[in-house]
Amino acid sequence: MSYSLEELEICFSQPSIKQSFDELYQCLGFITAVASSPDEIKPSEWMEQLVITESKRPQFDSESQVKTLSSNFTAWWNHCDAVFDHATQLELPEKIGLTASGKPNKSLVEFSSGYLKGYNWLSKTWQTLLPRGNEEAARSLTVLNAILARFVNESELAQANPKLLAQLPDLKGCFKTLPNLLSAVGMLGKDIASQRAAKQKEPQENLPFNNIYRNIGRNDSCPCGSGKKFKRCCLH
């Protein structure tokens, strides 16, 4: 099933959804980050992270609303997953972009904020599974997060990491490279996951047998403490 932004936009125009979930493009950014993870996260796990109510229980008006939202969110997740798995480039929804003055538009800010939220939620997974010494992979993650942080709030990035900000292209250049970086990180996650799966399928090496009774004679007392001779107890 393919996702429908039109259906999602209609859904997010309804008060019950607005009160229950993050903004639409923030949700899509979060789901994109989840699809990039080196460890598969099921929809039942990540869906509740999009809910903003204290009880973590969204308010729906109808079963149709539930189906529309969950099916389209899952379809976007499956779409991203397939794109990264087949090493193709992710195409961002048309409404994500820059304004006429060259600033990030509302949808781009929301998408970037959502992706960063998703990445932070999975940060321990990345830290644990990212191969040590893979500087290129670490650099891709750092640059992607920096670009997204710049779209959300450039002044905060300037205070937190001015050196890194100075290394980035201008906003137009950052947006141009965004699909490539999103795809590269997504493919990195898939590569790590496939390598882990292949390693788990490898046969385990046979460990040498350690005979703890090798120095005990047949007529010695059994080490189990039964009081019997070894030959009449644990030897057999």
Side-chain angles (χ1 to χ4, degrees):
M1 175 185 173
S2 60
Y3 66 94
S4 170
L5 278 177
E6 184 178 358
E7 289 183 0
L8 283 170
E9 287 172 348
I10 293 173
C11 205
F12 271 78
S13 68
Q14 299 164 5
S16 59
I17 298 300
K18 286 185 176 181
Q19 294 168 9
S20 297
F21 291 89
D22 284 324
E23 297 290 343
L24 170 57
Y25 285 92
Q26 193 172 1
C27 290
L28 295 180
F30 185 95
I31 296 169
T32 306
V34 171
S36 305
S37 172
D39 190 22
E40 184 176 347
I41 313 296
K42 297 179 180 179
S44 58
E45 298 177 69
W46 55 256
M47 196 81 73
E48 69 175 19
Q49 298 299 319
L50 306 176
V51 181
I52 58 176
T53 61
E54 289 185 9
S55 64
K56 285 297 179 181
R57 293 181 179 178
Q59 302 298 316
F60 292 107
D61 296 329
S62 64
E63 286 297 322
S64 174
Q65 198 181 55
V66 176
K67 184 177 180 181
T68 298
L69 191 72
S70 59
S71 62
N72 278 292
F73 275 167
T74 303
W76 173 254
W77 175 65
N78 284 328
H79 171 72
C80 293
D81 187 72
V83 167
F84 301 149
D85 201 32
H86 291 88
T88 54
Q89 183 169 300
L90 180 68
E91 291 187 15
L92 296 174
E94 290 184 3
K95 289 190 177 181
I96 295 177
L98 302 176
T99 64
S101 61
K103 301 293 184 182
N105 66 13
K106 184 174 182 289
S107 298
L108 176 55
V109 173
E110 290 175 359
F111 181 89
S112 301
S113 174
Y115 189 101
L116 290 171
K117 179 182 176 181
Y119 179 82
N120 289 335
W121 182 55
L122 296 167
S123 60
K124 288 185 178 180
T125 300
W126 275 106
Q127 291 170 10
T128 302
L129 300 180
L130 187 67
R132 300 291 183 267
N134 191 335
E135 295 182 5
E136 183 178 351
R139 175 69 178 173
S140 294
L141 284 167
T142 299
V143 172
L144 173 59
N145 283 322
I147 286 177
L148 294 171
R150 183 180 190 181
F151 290 149
V152 174
N153 193 321
E154 185 169 352
S155 61
E156 283 189 4
L157 179 62
Q159 291 181 349
N161 200 331
K163 185 179 292 186
L164 180 58
L165 177 61
Q167 295 174 1
L168 298 179
D170 58 17
L171 284 171
K172 185 177 180 180
C174 284
F175 181 68
K176 185 177 180 181
T177 194
L178 181 59
N180 289 330
L181 277 172
L182 289 170
S183 301
V185 170
M187 286 183 273
L188 171 64
K190 294 301 176 190
D191 286 343
I192 295 173
S194 62
Q195 289 170 12
R196 289 180 65 222
K199 193 171 184 179
Q200 289 172 356
K201 290 180 180 179
E202 292 177 358
Q204 297 295 318
E205 293 183 6
N206 292 325
L207 297 176
F209 174 69
N210 182 23
N211 183 5
I212 61 174
Y213 299 130
R214 64 180 179 274
N215 295 322
I216 301 173
R218 288 171 54 83
N219 292 315
D220 292 341
S221 297
C222 188
C224 75
S226 65
K228 298 179 181 179
K229 291 185 177 181
F230 182 49
K231 66 182 179 181
R232 300 190 181 280
C233 193
C234 291
L235 177 61
H236 303 294

